[in-house]
Amino acid sequence: MRLTRPILALGGAALVLALAGCGSGDTKDAAAAVPEAATGSLEHLAAEVKCTPDMQTDADEIRQAICKNTDGKFILATFATDRGQREWINGAKDYGGHYLVGRKWVAVGETSTMTALRGTLGGTIEEGTDHAAHEGSHEPSDGASHSSH
């Protein structure tokens, strides 16, 4: 059944929100639990989440660093323009992952790390493409195999 995975994904997302305290049913409480998205330089954002950035890219258009704190390891990037940020995210999503997105910045890492960072930095969580979910979609449910690859 092809609808099973999307339904399970929605159920899983609801569970994550409930565990994060966002699924209480009270919209005001949920909105209050996530601060307004932080702004500032890469160093400022890194200081907010208590990590020392290990710079990987330091260019006019993008600054990117690897960070690690008590919540986990993640990539933190800042952008010169909103358009540059959106183009980067759209390209990166093809590789999967979990993205915490603010204005002209993004953090990339595990779901639990992004959820924890969101409590400090605000922003919205976006999901990359899950290619593993598509691997079995070409197989019939009886276990027979197609050799179309």
Side-chain angles (χ1 to χ4, degrees), residues 4-66:
T4 304
R5 285 206 171 129
I7 291 170
L8 289 175
L10 289 174
L15 178 61
V16 169
L17 290 174
L19 292 174
C22 297
S24 66
D26 187 343
T27 313
K28 290 179 183 174
D29 287 346
V34 177
E36 184 175 329
T39 59
S41 68
L42 189 139
E43 290 81 4
H44 173 78
L45 296 169
E48 289 288 319
V49 295
K50 298 176 176 49
C51 81
T52 302
D54 178 8
M55 293 300 294
Q56 303 297 305
T57 304
D58 194 356
D60 291 339
E61 306 82 28
I62 181 175
R63 299 185 73 223
Q64 182 174 309
I66 297 173

Side-chain angles (χ1 to χ4, degrees), residues 97-117:
H98 308 278
Y99 302 80
L100 178 62
V101 181
R103 179 136 196 282
K104 295 186 182 176
W105 62 264
V106 64
V108 185
E110 296 293 325
T111 302
S112 59
T113 304
M114 296 302 96
T115 301
L117 293 178

